[in-house]
Amino acid sequence: MNLAVIGSGYVGLVTGACFAEMGNRVVCVDNDERKISMLNNYEIPIYEPGLKEMVERNSQSGRLSFTLDLAEAVRNSRIIFIAVGTPPEEDGSADLQYVLAVARDIARHMQEPKIVVNKSTVPVGTADLVRKVISDGLKARDLDISFDVVSNPEFLKEGAAIEDFMKPDRVVVGVDSLEAGKVMHELYLPFNKTRDRVILMAVRSAEMTKYAANAMLATKISFMNELSRLCEALGADVAEVRNGIGSDSRIGYKFIYPGVGYGGSCFPKDVKALIHMHRQNRLNPRIMQAVEDTNEDQKLLLVDKVKKHFGAKLDGLVFAVWGLAFKPQTDDMREAPAVVIVNALLAAGAKVQAYDPVAMQEAKRVLGQRKGLSYAADEYAALDGADALLLVTEWHQFRYPDFARIKQNLKQPVVFDGRNQYDPLQMRDLGFSYYSIGRP
Protein backbone atom coordinates (compact mmCIF):
# COMPACT_ATOMS: atom_id res chain seq x y z
CA MET A 1 0.00 0.00 0.00
CA ASN A 2 0.97 3.65 -0.36
CA LEU A 3 1.16 5.19 3.11
CA ALA A 4 1.90 8.65 4.45
CA VAL A 5 3.05 9.22 8.03
CA ILE A 6 2.69 12.84 9.12
CA GLY A 7 5.17 13.55 11.90
CA SER A 8 8.61 11.96 11.91
CA GLY A 9 9.24 11.85 15.63
CA TYR A 10 9.57 8.69 17.70
CA VAL A 11 6.21 7.12 16.84
CA GLY A 12 6.07 8.30 13.24
CA LEU A 13 9.59 7.21 12.38
CA VAL A 14 9.21 3.73 13.88
CA THR A 15 5.79 3.33 12.24
CA GLY A 16 7.04 4.39 8.82
CA ALA A 17 10.18 2.26 8.93
CA CYS A 18 8.35 -0.88 10.07
CA PHE A 19 5.58 -0.59 7.47
CA ALA A 20 8.26 -0.10 4.78
CA GLU A 21 10.07 -3.17 6.09
CA MET A 22 6.95 -5.21 5.28
CA GLY A 23 6.92 -4.04 1.66
CA ASN A 24 4.71 -0.94 1.74
CA ARG A 25 5.71 2.32 0.10
CA VAL A 26 5.91 4.90 2.87
CA VAL A 27 6.57 8.62 2.82
CA CYS A 28 7.28 10.29 6.17
CA VAL A 29 6.47 13.99 6.40
CA ASP A 30 7.72 16.60 8.84
CA ASN A 31 7.89 20.39 8.90
CA ASP A 32 11.38 20.35 10.45
CA GLU A 33 13.76 20.89 7.54
CA ARG A 34 16.81 19.88 9.57
CA LYS A 35 15.22 16.60 10.65
CA ILE A 36 14.20 15.69 7.10
CA SER A 37 17.72 16.46 5.87
CA MET A 38 19.18 14.20 8.58
CA LEU A 39 16.80 11.35 7.75
CA ASN A 40 17.56 11.59 4.03
CA ASN A 41 21.21 11.10 5.02
CA TYR A 42 20.31 8.10 7.22
CA GLU A 43 20.95 10.06 10.40
CA ILE A 44 18.47 9.25 13.16
CA PRO A 45 17.50 12.10 15.54
CA ILE A 46 16.56 9.67 18.34
CA TYR A 47 18.22 6.64 19.89
CA GLU A 48 16.34 3.40 19.28
CA PRO A 49 18.15 0.06 18.78
CA GLY A 50 17.83 -1.23 15.21
CA LEU A 51 16.05 1.83 13.84
CA LYS A 52 18.98 3.36 11.96
CA GLU A 53 19.68 0.13 10.08
CA MET A 54 16.00 -0.31 9.19
CA VAL A 55 15.67 3.27 7.95
CA GLU A 56 18.81 3.01 5.83
CA ARG A 57 17.83 -0.38 4.36
CA ASN A 58 14.33 0.69 3.34
CA SER A 59 15.40 4.13 2.11
CA GLN A 60 17.97 2.55 -0.19
CA SER A 61 15.36 0.10 -1.48
CA GLY A 62 13.03 2.99 -2.36
CA ARG A 63 10.24 1.90 -0.03
CA LEU A 64 10.84 4.67 2.52
CA SER A 65 11.29 8.38 1.83
CA PHE A 66 11.23 11.63 3.80
CA THR A 67 9.81 14.95 2.67
CA LEU A 68 8.61 18.40 3.70
CA ASP A 69 5.90 18.24 1.01
CA LEU A 70 2.73 17.26 2.87
CA ALA A 71 0.48 18.03 -0.10
CA GLU A 72 2.15 15.50 -2.38
CA ALA A 73 2.24 12.89 0.38
CA VAL A 74 -1.51 13.27 0.95
CA ARG A 75 -2.33 13.08 -2.76
CA ASN A 76 -0.28 9.92 -3.34
CA SER A 77 -1.30 7.90 -0.25
CA ARG A 78 -4.29 5.70 0.42
CA ILE A 79 -3.79 5.67 4.19
CA ILE A 80 -2.53 8.73 6.11
CA PHE A 81 -1.21 8.29 9.64
CA ILE A 82 -1.24 11.28 11.98
CA ALA A 83 1.74 10.85 14.33
CA VAL A 84 2.42 14.34 15.65
CA GLY A 85 2.97 15.32 19.26
CA THR A 86 0.19 15.91 21.78
CA PRO A 87 2.08 17.61 24.63
CA PRO A 88 0.29 18.08 27.95
CA GLU A 89 -1.21 21.43 28.85
CA GLU A 90 -0.81 22.82 32.38
CA ASP A 91 -4.12 21.24 33.44
CA GLY A 92 -3.02 17.82 32.15
CA SER A 93 -5.14 17.89 29.01
CA ALA A 94 -3.58 16.91 25.68
CA ASP A 95 -2.72 19.74 23.29
CA LEU A 96 -4.43 18.81 20.01
CA GLN A 97 -3.34 21.81 17.95
CA TYR A 98 -0.85 19.79 15.86
CA VAL A 99 -3.27 16.92 15.25
CA LEU A 100 -6.02 19.29 14.10
CA ALA A 101 -3.56 21.30 11.98
CA VAL A 102 -2.66 18.11 10.11
CA ALA A 103 -6.38 17.34 9.68
CA ARG A 104 -6.86 20.78 8.07
CA ASP A 105 -3.91 20.15 5.74
CA ILE A 106 -5.32 16.77 4.72
CA ALA A 107 -8.67 18.40 3.89
CA ARG A 108 -6.86 21.07 1.90
CA HIS A 109 -5.01 18.60 -0.34
CA MET A 110 -7.00 15.34 -0.60
CA GLN A 111 -8.57 14.68 -3.99
CA GLU A 112 -9.94 11.14 -3.51
CA PRO A 113 -11.18 8.89 -0.67
CA LYS A 114 -8.68 8.40 2.16
CA ILE A 115 -8.34 6.55 5.44
CA VAL A 116 -6.99 8.92 8.10
CA VAL A 117 -5.47 7.13 11.08
CA ASN A 118 -4.81 8.71 14.47
CA LYS A 119 -1.54 7.13 15.65
CA SER A 120 -0.88 9.89 18.17
CA THR A 121 -2.12 9.36 21.71
CA VAL A 122 -5.24 11.47 21.80
CA PRO A 123 -8.19 11.95 24.19
CA VAL A 124 -11.43 10.07 23.68
CA GLY A 125 -13.47 11.92 21.08
CA THR A 126 -10.52 13.22 19.05
CA ALA A 127 -11.49 11.17 15.98
CA ASP A 128 -14.79 13.06 15.93
CA LEU A 129 -12.91 16.37 15.99
CA VAL A 130 -10.60 15.25 13.18
CA ARG A 131 -13.61 14.10 11.15
CA LYS A 132 -15.34 17.46 11.61
CA VAL A 133 -12.21 19.45 10.68
CA ILE A 134 -11.76 17.44 7.47
CA SER A 135 -15.47 17.64 6.60
CA ASP A 136 -15.46 21.41 7.11
CA GLY A 137 -12.35 21.73 4.96
CA LEU A 138 -13.85 19.73 2.13
CA LYS A 139 -17.06 21.76 2.29
CA ALA A 140 -15.00 24.95 2.01
CA ARG A 141 -13.55 23.50 -1.21
CA ASP A 142 -17.07 22.53 -2.34
CA LEU A 143 -16.04 18.85 -2.51
CA ASP A 144 -17.88 15.72 -1.45
CA ILE A 145 -15.15 13.10 -0.90
CA SER A 146 -15.67 10.12 1.39
CA PHE A 147 -13.11 9.37 4.06
CA ASP A 148 -12.73 7.35 7.27
CA VAL A 149 -11.09 8.34 10.52
CA VAL A 150 -9.55 5.41 12.37
CA SER A 151 -7.95 5.14 15.82
CA ASN A 152 -4.85 2.93 15.85
CA PRO A 153 -2.91 3.69 19.05
CA GLU A 154 0.70 2.62 19.41
CA PHE A 155 1.97 0.39 22.22
CA LEU A 156 5.72 0.80 21.71
CA LYS A 157 8.26 0.50 24.51
CA GLU A 158 11.21 2.83 24.06
CA GLY A 159 14.29 0.68 23.63
CA ALA A 160 12.25 -2.19 22.14
CA ALA A 161 10.02 -0.33 19.68
CA ILE A 162 11.08 -2.23 16.56
CA GLU A 163 10.30 -5.61 18.08
CA ASP A 164 7.05 -4.31 19.57
CA PHE A 165 5.89 -3.13 16.15
CA MET A 166 7.08 -6.14 14.17
CA LYS A 167 5.84 -8.70 16.72
CA PRO A 168 2.94 -6.98 18.47
CA ASP A 169 0.99 -8.41 21.39
CA ARG A 170 -2.08 -6.83 19.83
CA VAL A 171 -3.04 -4.28 17.19
CA VAL A 172 -5.94 -2.15 18.38
CA VAL A 173 -7.97 -0.63 15.54
CA GLY A 174 -10.99 1.56 16.17
CA VAL A 175 -13.25 1.94 13.15
CA ASP A 176 -16.80 2.98 12.35
CA SER A 177 -17.02 1.37 8.91
CA LEU A 178 -16.56 -2.22 7.74
CA GLU A 179 -14.51 -1.14 4.73
CA ALA A 180 -11.96 0.76 6.82
CA GLY A 181 -11.68 -2.24 9.14
CA LYS A 182 -10.97 -4.56 6.19
CA VAL A 183 -8.26 -2.26 4.80
CA MET A 184 -6.55 -1.87 8.19
CA HIS A 185 -6.71 -5.63 8.75
CA GLU A 186 -5.07 -6.17 5.37
CA LEU A 187 -2.36 -3.62 6.19
CA TYR A 188 -1.44 -5.46 9.38
CA LEU A 189 -1.74 -8.95 7.84
CA PRO A 190 2.07 -9.44 7.52
CA PHE A 191 2.38 -8.90 11.29
CA ASN A 192 -0.20 -11.63 11.99
CA LYS A 193 1.40 -14.77 10.61
CA THR A 194 1.22 -16.92 13.77
CA ARG A 195 -2.16 -15.63 14.95
CA ASP A 196 -4.52 -12.74 14.27
CA ARG A 197 -3.48 -9.91 16.56
CA VAL A 198 -5.84 -7.27 15.18
CA ILE A 199 -8.60 -6.29 17.63
CA LEU A 200 -11.35 -4.29 15.94
CA MET A 201 -13.49 -2.08 18.15
CA ALA A 202 -15.36 1.21 18.23
CA VAL A 203 -13.24 4.31 17.68
CA ARG A 204 -13.80 5.76 21.15
CA SER A 205 -13.01 2.41 22.77
CA ALA A 206 -9.69 2.30 20.90
CA GLU A 207 -8.83 5.82 22.05
CA MET A 208 -9.58 4.83 25.65
CA THR A 209 -7.64 1.55 25.39
CA LYS A 210 -4.36 3.39 24.94
CA TYR A 211 -4.84 5.47 28.08
CA ALA A 212 -6.15 2.52 30.06
CA ALA A 213 -3.14 0.35 29.18
CA ASN A 214 -0.56 2.95 30.18
CA ALA A 215 -2.45 3.95 33.31
CA MET A 216 -2.69 0.30 34.43
CA LEU A 217 1.08 -0.16 34.04
CA ALA A 218 1.78 3.10 35.86
CA THR A 219 -0.56 1.94 38.64
CA LYS A 220 1.40 -1.29 39.09
CA ILE A 221 4.64 0.69 39.38
CA SER A 222 3.24 3.17 41.91
CA PHE A 223 1.64 0.35 43.90
CA MET A 224 5.01 -1.42 44.27
CA ASN A 225 6.77 1.81 45.10
CA GLU A 226 4.28 2.60 47.84
CA LEU A 227 4.52 -0.98 49.12
CA SER A 228 8.32 -0.74 49.18
CA ARG A 229 8.12 2.05 51.76
CA LEU A 230 5.92 -0.10 53.99
CA CYS A 231 8.27 -3.07 53.56
CA GLU A 232 11.20 -0.90 54.61
CA ALA A 233 9.32 0.37 57.67
CA LEU A 234 8.35 -3.14 58.77
CA GLY A 235 11.62 -4.90 57.97
CA ALA A 236 10.25 -6.92 55.03
CA ASP A 237 12.15 -7.30 51.74
CA VAL A 238 10.14 -5.96 48.79
CA ALA A 239 12.20 -8.07 46.37
CA GLU A 240 11.04 -11.23 48.15
CA VAL A 241 7.48 -9.91 48.23
CA ARG A 242 7.70 -9.20 44.49
CA ASN A 243 8.71 -12.82 43.84
CA GLY A 244 5.89 -14.01 46.04
CA ILE A 245 3.15 -12.07 44.27
CA GLY A 246 4.67 -12.20 40.78
CA SER A 247 4.40 -15.98 40.74
CA ASP A 248 0.62 -15.54 40.75
CA SER A 249 -0.38 -15.71 37.06
CA ARG A 250 -3.11 -13.14 37.69
CA ILE A 251 -0.43 -10.59 38.67
CA GLY A 252 2.77 -11.58 36.84
CA TYR A 253 6.29 -10.20 37.23
CA LYS A 254 6.18 -7.31 34.78
CA PHE A 255 6.05 -3.72 36.01
CA ILE A 256 6.23 -4.65 39.70
CA TYR A 257 9.86 -3.63 40.23
CA PRO A 258 10.19 -0.87 42.84
CA GLY A 259 12.48 2.03 42.03
CA VAL A 260 12.66 5.80 41.81
CA GLY A 261 9.47 6.26 39.80
CA TYR A 262 8.41 6.13 36.18
CA GLY A 263 9.13 8.75 33.53
CA GLY A 264 9.21 9.08 29.75
CA SER A 265 6.85 10.47 27.17
CA CYS A 266 3.86 8.19 27.86
CA PHE A 267 3.04 7.23 31.44
CA PRO A 268 3.23 10.71 33.05
CA LYS A 269 1.38 12.39 30.19
CA ASP A 270 -1.32 9.73 29.91
CA VAL A 271 -2.00 9.56 33.65
CA LYS A 272 -2.37 13.35 33.70
CA ALA A 273 -4.69 13.20 30.70
CA LEU A 274 -6.89 10.57 32.37
CA ILE A 275 -7.10 12.71 35.49
CA HIS A 276 -8.18 15.65 33.33
CA MET A 277 -10.78 13.55 31.49
CA HIS A 278 -12.24 12.39 34.80
CA ARG A 279 -12.59 15.95 36.06
CA GLN A 280 -13.91 17.18 32.74
CA ASN A 281 -16.74 14.67 33.15
CA ARG A 282 -17.29 15.53 36.84
CA LEU A 283 -15.75 12.29 38.08
CA ASN A 284 -13.22 11.89 40.89
CA PRO A 285 -9.93 10.35 39.65
CA ARG A 286 -8.99 8.91 43.06
CA ILE A 287 -6.77 6.07 41.85
CA MET A 288 -5.11 8.02 39.04
CA GLN A 289 -4.36 10.96 41.32
CA ALA A 290 -2.80 8.61 43.88
CA VAL A 291 -0.69 6.99 41.15
CA GLU A 292 0.66 10.39 40.08
CA ASP A 293 1.24 11.66 43.63
CA THR A 294 3.06 8.45 44.64
CA ASN A 295 5.28 8.69 41.57
CA GLU A 296 6.24 12.30 42.22
CA ASP A 297 7.12 11.44 45.85
CA GLN A 298 9.15 8.43 44.75
CA LYS A 299 11.41 10.50 42.52
CA LEU A 300 12.76 12.22 45.65
CA LEU A 301 13.14 9.07 47.76
CA LEU A 302 16.82 8.61 46.91
CA VAL A 303 17.53 12.23 47.82
CA ASP A 304 15.72 11.72 51.14
CA LYS A 305 17.98 8.74 51.84
CA VAL A 306 21.04 10.83 50.96
CA LYS A 307 19.99 13.55 53.39
CA LYS A 308 19.27 11.01 56.12
CA HIS A 309 22.81 9.68 55.75
CA PHE A 310 24.72 12.94 55.23
CA GLY A 311 22.39 15.52 56.78
CA ALA A 312 19.96 18.00 55.23
CA LYS A 313 22.68 20.36 53.99
CA LEU A 314 24.88 18.81 51.34
CA ASP A 315 27.29 21.74 50.84
CA GLY A 316 30.74 20.56 49.84
CA LEU A 317 29.64 17.02 49.05
CA VAL A 318 30.02 15.44 45.61
CA PHE A 319 27.71 12.76 44.23
CA ALA A 320 28.20 10.48 41.26
CA VAL A 321 24.99 9.76 39.36
CA TRP A 322 24.83 6.70 37.11
CA GLY A 323 22.00 6.87 34.57
CA LEU A 324 20.11 9.92 33.30
CA ALA A 325 17.63 8.56 30.75
CA PHE A 326 14.26 7.60 32.19
CA LYS A 327 14.98 3.93 31.36
CA PRO A 328 17.73 1.87 29.67
CA GLN A 329 18.04 1.58 25.87
CA THR A 330 16.90 5.14 25.19
CA ASP A 331 18.22 8.69 25.40
CA ASP A 332 14.78 10.04 26.36
CA MET A 333 14.87 12.22 29.49
CA ARG A 334 11.30 13.46 29.47
CA GLU A 335 9.97 13.29 33.04
CA ALA A 336 13.09 11.28 33.99
CA PRO A 337 13.59 10.72 37.75
CA ALA A 338 17.26 11.64 37.24
CA VAL A 339 16.28 15.23 36.39
CA VAL A 340 14.42 15.61 39.70
CA ILE A 341 17.25 13.94 41.64
CA VAL A 342 20.05 16.01 40.10
CA ASN A 343 18.11 19.26 40.60
CA ALA A 344 17.38 18.39 44.23
CA LEU A 345 21.04 17.57 44.98
CA LEU A 346 22.21 20.81 43.40
CA ALA A 347 19.55 22.78 45.29
CA ALA A 348 20.84 21.29 48.55
CA GLY A 349 24.35 22.59 47.82
CA ALA A 350 25.92 19.40 46.46
CA LYS A 351 27.97 18.89 43.33
CA VAL A 352 26.97 16.22 40.81
CA GLN A 353 29.17 14.20 38.43
CA ALA A 354 26.76 12.54 36.00
CA TYR A 355 27.11 9.78 33.42
CA ASP A 356 24.78 7.93 31.05
CA PRO A 357 25.88 5.53 28.28
CA VAL A 358 23.57 7.10 25.67
CA ALA A 359 21.83 10.21 26.98
CA MET A 360 24.77 12.58 27.56
CA GLN A 361 23.90 14.95 24.73
CA GLU A 362 20.26 14.99 25.76
CA ALA A 363 21.30 15.56 29.38
CA LYS A 364 23.32 18.62 28.40
CA ARG A 365 20.25 19.95 26.61
CA VAL A 366 17.84 19.18 29.47
CA LEU A 367 20.01 19.90 32.51
CA GLY A 368 22.35 22.38 30.83
CA GLN A 369 25.79 23.56 31.86
CA ARG A 370 25.37 24.67 35.46
CA LYS A 371 27.47 25.42 38.48
CA GLY A 372 28.10 22.24 40.42
CA LEU A 373 27.12 19.91 37.56
CA SER A 374 29.67 18.11 35.43
CA TYR A 375 29.44 15.29 32.89
CA ALA A 376 31.84 12.39 33.16
CA ALA A 377 33.51 10.49 30.32
CA ASP A 378 32.46 7.11 31.75
CA GLU A 379 30.91 5.61 34.85
CA TYR A 380 34.17 5.25 36.76
CA ALA A 381 35.29 8.79 35.96
CA ALA A 382 32.04 9.97 37.55
CA LEU A 383 33.18 8.38 40.84
CA ASP A 384 36.45 10.30 41.14
CA GLY A 385 36.41 12.28 44.36
CA ALA A 386 32.70 11.63 44.96
CA ASP A 387 31.31 11.06 48.45
CA ALA A 388 28.68 8.56 47.26
CA LEU A 389 27.23 6.88 44.19
CA LEU A 390 23.56 7.12 43.17
CA LEU A 391 22.40 4.50 40.67
CA VAL A 392 19.32 5.92 38.93
CA THR A 393 18.94 4.06 35.61
CA GLU A 394 19.59 0.31 35.40
CA TRP A 395 21.75 0.13 32.28
CA HIS A 396 23.26 -3.32 31.77
CA GLN A 397 26.82 -2.11 32.25
CA PHE A 398 25.92 -0.91 35.76
CA ARG A 399 24.61 -4.29 36.89
CA TYR A 400 27.96 -6.01 37.48
CA PRO A 401 30.50 -3.22 37.97
CA ASP A 402 34.00 -3.44 39.43
CA PHE A 403 33.12 -2.93 43.10
CA ALA A 404 36.77 -2.71 44.13
CA ARG A 405 37.25 0.14 41.68
CA ILE A 406 34.07 1.84 42.92
CA LYS A 407 35.34 1.67 46.48
CA GLN A 408 38.76 2.93 45.46
CA ASN A 409 37.41 5.92 43.50
CA LEU A 410 34.85 7.08 46.07
CA LYS A 411 35.87 9.16 49.06
CA GLN A 412 33.42 7.14 51.14
CA PRO A 413 32.07 3.66 50.28
CA VAL A 414 28.43 4.75 50.12
CA VAL A 415 25.98 3.56 47.43
CA PHE A 416 22.34 4.58 46.96
CA ASP A 417 20.76 2.05 44.61
CA GLY A 418 17.54 3.39 43.13
CA ARG A 419 16.87 0.24 41.09
CA ASN A 420 17.76 -2.58 43.54
CA GLN A 421 20.49 -3.87 41.26
CA TYR A 422 22.88 -5.10 43.95
CA ASP A 423 22.66 -7.65 46.72
CA PRO A 424 22.50 -6.00 50.17
CA LEU A 425 24.46 -8.75 51.92
CA GLN A 426 27.21 -8.72 49.29
CA MET A 427 27.47 -4.95 49.50
CA ARG A 428 27.75 -5.16 53.30
CA ASP A 429 30.47 -7.81 53.04
CA LEU A 430 32.35 -5.62 50.55
CA GLY A 431 32.36 -2.81 53.11
CA PHE A 432 29.78 -0.48 51.55
CA SER A 433 27.13 1.56 53.30
CA TYR A 434 24.33 0.46 51.01
CA TYR A 435 20.83 1.88 50.61
CA SER A 436 18.21 0.46 48.26
CA ILE A 437 14.43 0.57 47.80
CA GLY A 438 12.25 -1.40 50.23
CA ARG A 439 14.94 -3.82 51.42
CA PRO A 440 16.42 -4.10 54.91
Side-chain angles (χ1 to χ4, degrees):
M1 296 187 189
N2 291 326
L3 312 176
V5 180
I6 315 299
S8 298
Y10 184 83
V11 173
L13 192 53
V14 172
T15 298
C18 289
F19 275 134
E21 183 77 2
M22 285 302 193
N24 299 285
R25 289 179 295 276
V26 183
V27 56
C28 291
V29 183
D30 206 280
N31 59 6
D32 185 334
E33 189 172 346
R34 179 175 172 273
K35 182 187 291 184
I36 292 298
S37 176
M38 288 176 64
L39 291 168
N40 279 322
N41 288 303
Y42 316 134
E43 298 174 27
I44 308 301
I46 58 174
Y47 177 81
E48 180 61 40
L51 183 57
K52 177 177 171 57
E53 294 79 6
M54 184 176 282
V55 166
E56 185 168 348
R57 180 168 62 249
N58 286 281
S59 296
Q60 291 176 347
S61 73
R63 291 189 299 269
L64 180 63
S65 60
F66 302 95
T67 183
L68 296 163
D69 192 343
L70 185 144
E72 184 180 4
V74 168
R75 284 194 294 269
N76 294 335
S77 301
R78 182 183 185 187
I79 305 176
I80 304 166
F81 287 86
I82 300 177
V84 295
T86 54
E89 301 276 20
E90 286 188 15
D91 61 0
S93 62
D95 182 354
L96 295 177
Q97 63 170 311
Y98 306 112
V99 171
L100 299 180
V102 171
R104 281 190 288 272
D105 286 336
I106 291 171
R108 192 175 296 123
H109 300 295
M110 64 184 284
Q111 298 171 343
E112 59 187 8
K114 306 287 182 184
I115 296 176
V116 178
V117 184
N118 273 334
K119 200 71 176 169
S120 303
T121 300
V122 292
V124 177
T126 300
D128 295 335
L129 295 176
V130 169
R131 185 179 293 106
K132 184 179 186 307
V133 167
I134 295 176
S135 295
D136 290 347
L138 291 174
K139 286 177 184 174
R141 294 173 61 200
D142 200 23
L143 293 176
D144 182 16
I145 303 174
S146 65
F147 66 95
D148 289 284
V149 178
V150 172
S151 174
N152 176 215
E154 52 85 15
F155 298 96
L156 307 176
K157 298 187 296 290
E158 292 192 43
I162 299 295
E163 180 155 356
D164 285 347
F165 200 104
M166 301 299 285
K167 300 176 181 178
D169 294 326
R170 78 288 205 196
V171 178
V172 172
V173 179
V175 295
D176 56 12
S177 80
L178 183 61
E179 181 59 31
K182 287 172 64 177
V183 173
M184 293 300 292
H185 196 278
E186 182 184 345
L187 176 63
Y188 278 105
L189 197 60
F191 304 92
N192 291 329
K193 287 304 180 184
T194 56
R195 62 178 175 86
D196 192 349
R197 293 174 169 83
V198 175
I199 304 173
L200 291 176
M201 59 180 70
V203 172
R204 287 191 171 221
S205 299
E207 291 171 333
M208 178 59 85
T209 298
K210 168 65 174 180
Y211 284 104
N214 280 348
M216 176 61 78
L217 297 176
T219 300
K220 292 180 74 174
I221 294 169
S222 281
F223 172 82
M224 285 305 293
N225 282 335
E226 185 170 285
L227 193 68
S228 73
R229 292 175 179 247
L230 184 60
C231 286
E232 201 165 308
L234 296 175
D237 187 329
V238 74
E240 294 175 346
V241 174
R242 180 185 62 79
N243 283 329
I245 65 174
S247 58
D248 186 328
S249 60
R250 297 169 300 175
I251 299 173
Y253 291 101
K254 293 183 178 179
F255 291 89
I256 59 170
Y257 288 85
V260 288
Y262 60 76
S265 63
C266 293
F267 290 4
K269 177 169 69 76
D270 292 353
V271 169
K272 284 182 171 67
L274 265 183
I275 290 171
H276 177 77
M277 282 187 266
H278 272 82
R279 290 178 176 155
Q280 206 173 28
N281 289 277
R282 298 180 181 178
L283 297 170
N284 187 357
R286 289 185 291 265
I287 293 176
M288 289 296 93
Q289 190 62 62
V291 167
E292 182 179 47
D293 292 344
T294 299
N295 191 62
E296 292 307 303
D297 289 345
Q298 199 72 10
K299 289 181 179 181
L300 285 169
L301 180 60
L302 224 53
V303 178
D304 293 339
K305 289 176 180 288
V306 168
K307 290 181 177 179
K308 189 173 180 180
H309 181 90
F310 288 103
K313 293 185 177 181
L314 304 178
D315 301 81
L317 296 175
V318 180
F319 295 96
V321 172
W322 281 7
L324 299 170
F326 86 93
K327 61 180 278 189
Q329 301 302 317
T330 181
D331 62 350
D332 195 342
M333 288 184 62
R334 285 173 287 185
E335 302 282 346
V339 175
V340 176
I341 290 167
V342 168
N343 285 336
L345 291 173
L346 293 173
K351 293 182 179 179
V352 173
Q353 298 172 172
Y355 174 73
D356 188 282
V358 167
M360 294 299 275
Q361 285 303 117
E362 182 67 5
K364 290 173 184 177
R365 187 188 70 81
V366 172
L367 293 168
Q369 302 288 350
R370 296 153 62 185
K371 183 180 179 182
L373 174 61
S374 61
Y375 301 96
D378 59 54
E379 62 265 45
Y380 295 105
L383 301 170
D384 290 340
D387 293 279
L389 164 64
L390 281 70
L391 191 155
V392 179
T393 311
E394 67 277 29
W395 285 92
H396 287 172
Q397 69 195 66
F398 300 156
R399 290 186 180 180
Y400 296 99
D402 185 338
F403 288 110
R405 191 172 175 187
I406 292 175
K407 197 171 181 182
Q408 180 182 358
N409 286 27
L410 289 173
K411 283 184 186 175
Q412 307 177 52
V414 183
V415 174
F416 298 91
D417 181 356
R419 299 294 181 180
N420 287 357
Q421 294 297 289
Y422 309 135
D423 178 73
L425 294 178
Q426 181 191 17
M427 296 298 283
R428 183 192 65 186
D429 292 343
L430 289 170
F432 285 95
S433 294
Y434 178 72
Y435 302 88
S436 57
I437 310 294
R439 299 189 295 176

